[in-house]
Amino acid sequence: MTVRNRGALAAMAAGAAALTVAGVVACGSRPAEDVGADEAAALASTTPAPTPTTTASGDPSVPVNAGTLPAAGATVPPVRLRIPPIGVAATVNPVGINQRTDEFEVPPSVDQVGWYRYGPGLEAGTGSVVIAGHVDSADQGKGAFFRLRELDRGDTLTVTGSDGRERPYRVVAREEYAKTGIPLDRYFARDGSPRLTLITCGGPFDAKTRHYRDNIVVTAVPA
Amino acid sequence: MQFAMFRRVAAIGAVSALTFAGVGAATMSPAYAASSKVSVVHGIPDTPVDVYVNGKKTLDNFKPGDVAGPLTLPEGKYDIALTKPGEAVDKAILKVDDAAVPGGANISLAAHLSADGKPQITPFANDVSKVDAGKARLIVRHTAAAPAVDVRAGGKPAFEGLTNPKEAKADVAAGTVKADVVLAGTDTVAIGPADLNLKEGTATIVYAIGSADAKNLDLVAQTISGLHSAPGGVPSGTGGQAGTGVDTWWYVLAGAGVLLLVGGGARVATARAGRR
């Protein structure tokens, strides 16, 4: 065997090693598969039958309401979220929209999470109660939802309302979407089956813009 | 008093052949426009009525200040009649024949007093386009026997110089505002103040009703929900510790590996070929 040949073989070995390492890294960092996507979609399209309204006589299908000025509804905001499988115990703040960006106003403190106060509260018989939290931040480190993507179907969590009542939920889906393609209308819907939607960031991180490419969305139903 | 006037209007058939064609042009949705949602608002004080649509009693003993509907009506022409409760439809006190309801619209029919105090029916096209996340739509309609008014929110004029039977509207931040109605250009309060809870993602339609002369001006509200939009996005991470992407350098390494394999392989092959 010539020296030249030996050098070539060494190059091949180094090449194979490089490919293997890169491959292992690629596989290792691939996000977990989505689970329960169909079930999450079905929850959005089913609406519990409304209780029929009746009038004294005339056409019973025509509801009649006193045209009083609308008063504030009796919402039950979530105040505390516990997700034992991933060690989450976080305060929930009512949040709205960032005026400048038109985006969800996720609480700046990464150990707290935010409930979308314009959507349904825990009292609602329909729609999606949305709670979003940071996966991490550049200056505060890991956030409350750092391990959200580890949740799996069947995991349980508990949301406590402002009324002090604890409400158990069971995870039915975990999905990852590019932020440019996430069907937000479905997750911020006020109709469909009652459900809890937890949202954070995930996927590849762009160090230049300091943004994640994707959103991780976990859907849970009352247990 | 009010009622006597009501009868007189009916007798001369002042309001007939009302058409909603203009409404249709404004609100018709392009695709499969077939039926419309129609609500009825009662803004004539002291005058409960039965409401007939095409001769069929649709609302029984419909009271002033109440809002009925929405009914889903297929596109077409409708005869609408208001009678004293329990009276036959041919004794209608106010009627509209062949009212054209366009397809795909959302309409409110207001039975109210004109600026000079005559009962009439005015169709309004409701703006049911989506509102931005965090916003609510406020629509104010002047349907009272009263002169031009300004509507103030938090003490500042929001809508100015509104006359019967016109509307003014704006998409505003959701929440509660203290509103009142003043005679146009003055601080003379005609109605209110009242707290308006403008719920996010809804349209709140406020009708000024009644008569300034009879001192029974009041407000009637109708709410249309389901106009909400989702937030623009959910930004929830700036650290990068949870990034799952493959860094560019790993692609470079993989590329180098391929080059080394192919290059080395080629050398081995040529060396073998040369020895033969």
Side-chain angles (χ1 to χ4, degrees):
Chain A
M1 183 161 283
T2 64
V3 174
R4 193 174 113 144
N5 215 342
R6 211 176 297 149
L9 282 175
M12 285 179 73
L19 260 185
T20 310
V21 170
V24 165
V25 167
C27 290
S29 60
R30 205 175 51 188
E33 297 264 306
D34 286 1
V35 291
D38 292 346
E39 192 163 346
L43 286 169
S45 58
T46 53
T47 297
T51 44
T53 45
T54 50
T55 48
S57 70
D59 191 334
S61 68
V62 183
V64 177
N65 296 296
T68 47
L69 298 179
T75 346
V76 178
V79 294
R80 191 122 190 98
L81 171 68
R82 283 192 298 116
I83 318 176
I86 57 169
V88 170
T91 299
V92 185
N93 298 299
V95 296
I97 293 290
N98 183 305
Q99 295 291 330
R100 191 173 52 79
T101 61
D102 193 33
E103 292 180 318
F104 192 106
E105 188 88 272
V106 181
S109 180
V110 299
D111 59 347
Q112 306 197 346
V113 294
W115 161 66
Y116 190 59
R117 62 188 170 92
Y118 297 131
L122 297 177
E123 82 296 338
T126 61
S128 168
V129 177
V130 184
I131 296 176
H134 278 99
V135 62
D136 65 2
S137 106
D139 45 357
Q140 298 174 63
K142 292 180 182 178
F145 279 179
F146 189 77
R147 294 173 62 198
L148 195 70
R149 64 185 160 122
E150 295 172 26
L151 280 179
D152 207 344
R153 286 170 64 87
D155 286 344
T156 55
L157 52 116
T158 307
V159 182
T160 310
S162 61
D163 56 0
R165 222 183 91 202
E166 294 194 344
R167 293 160 171 87
Y169 285 86
R170 176 174 50 83
V171 173
V172 296
R174 181 198 63 237
E175 298 159 278
E176 181 168 339
Y177 292 99
K179 285 177 179 173
T180 50
I182 180 172
L184 286 172
D185 283 341
R186 185 206 293 172
Y187 295 111
F188 285 86
R190 296 173 195 182
D191 52 6
S193 298
R195 57 206 188 275
L196 176 69
T197 303
L198 307 176
I199 305 179
T200 193
C201 281
F205 184 76
D206 184 333
K208 283 197 205 73
T209 63
R210 302 218 65 80
H211 282 108
Y212 288 92
R213 187 193 67 189
D214 298 348
N215 277 127
I216 308 284
V217 184
V218 168
T219 303
V221 295
Chain B
M1 233 280 268
Q2 204 88 54
F3 202 70
M5 188 152 44
F6 205 92
R7 281 207 172 266
R8 193 175 68 232
V9 170
I12 60 172
V15 190
S16 62
L18 184 60
T19 167
F20 307 153
V23 170
T27 61
M28 185 109 60
S29 64
Y32 52 89
S35 58
S36 280
K37 295 211 179 297
V38 179
S39 300
V40 186
V41 179
H42 194 334
I44 304 171
D46 309 321
T47 316
V49 294
D50 289 348
V51 178
Y52 288 81
V53 175
N54 285 347
K56 178 174 170 283
K57 190 194 279 188
T58 305
L59 296 170
D60 184 68
N61 196 19
F62 187 42
K63 295 194 176 56
D66 279 1
V67 178
L71 294 110
T72 301
L73 294 181
E75 176 176 3
K77 299 203 164 172
Y78 293 87
D79 295 344
I80 296 160
L82 275 54
T83 68
K84 261 175 77 178
E87 286 205 341
V89 66
D90 57 2
K91 288 189 181 167
I93 50 181
L94 187 59
K95 59 186 263 183
V96 176
D97 287 335
D98 292 331
V101 171
N106 188 310
I107 297 168
S108 289
L109 293 179
H112 68 102
L113 298 176
S114 66
D116 53 0
K118 295 188 178 64
Q120 68 179 55
I121 294 178
T122 302
F124 289 96
N126 300 321
D127 181 353
V128 291
S129 60
K130 297 279 183 194
V131 295
D132 290 344
K135 298 283 171 64
R137 181 167 298 138
L138 173 60
I139 303 174
V140 181
R141 291 174 178 162
H142 187 330
T143 51
V149 297
D150 295 342
V151 179
R152 302 190 301 187
K156 295 200 183 71
F159 307 115
E160 295 181 273
L162 190 61
T163 56
N164 186 326
K166 298 231 163 57
E167 70 166 29
K169 62 177 180 176
D171 287 2
V172 299
T176 301
V177 293
K178 192 172 280 293
D180 62 5
V181 177
V182 296
L183 297 180
T186 74
D187 287 325
T188 311
V189 175
I191 310 175
D195 281 335
L196 287 182
N197 175 47
L198 306 175
K199 193 170 183 297
E200 199 263 356
T202 68
T204 301
I205 309 171
V206 181
Y207 300 81
I209 65 156
S211 155
D213 287 346
K215 299 205 187 317
N216 57 7
L217 290 176
D218 203 353
L219 298 177
V220 173
Q222 173 190 3
T223 305
I224 299 175
S225 57
L227 311 184
H228 57 275
S229 304
V234 186
S236 43
T238 57
Q241 289 193 61
T244 55
V246 179
D247 196 276
T248 321
W249 289 108
W250 292 112
Y251 288 110
V252 173
L253 180 62
V258 170
L259 280 178
L260 283 171
L261 265 179
V262 172
R267 275 199 111 150
V268 171
T270 47
R272 289 228 173 105
R275 232 178 312 153
R276 210 169 343 129

